[in-house]
Amino acid sequence: MEPKRLYRSDTDKMLMGVCGGVGEYLNVDSTIIRLLWAIFVCMGPGIFAYIAAAIIIPRRGV
């Protein structure tokens, strides 16, 4: 069995697919991940964390 890997989503994305990929990885609805991320942005470093995640997390098949 192949180990579970985190990828940016190509199908469930609004900006870069980070929240969709995290939702797929955790088997959680991506809307919940987006809501939690929005709360994180309001608390401070969320935008920088999203940009870092978009750079670090690879797209599937690349």
Side-chain angles (χ1 to χ4, degrees):
M1 185 172 161
E2 186 177 326
K4 199 173 187 182
R5 302 248 350 213
L6 176 62
Y7 294 105
R8 287 187 286 148
S9 177
D10 288 331
T11 57
D12 184 14
K13 66 182 191 176
M14 295 188 102
L15 293 175
M16 297 295 294
V18 173
C19 292
V22 171
E24 290 173 8
Y25 182 80
L26 297 175
N27 200 24
V28 176
D29 186 13
S30 61
T31 305
I32 295 170
I33 302 298
R34 288 184 184 104
L35 180 63
L36 292 173
W37 206 282
I39 292 169
F40 186 56
V41 166
C42 292
M43 291 171 42
I47 292 174
F48 298 113
Y50 188 89
I51 293 169
I55 292 170
I56 294 169
I57 300 172
R59 286 187 356 230
R60 187 176 306 279
V62 174

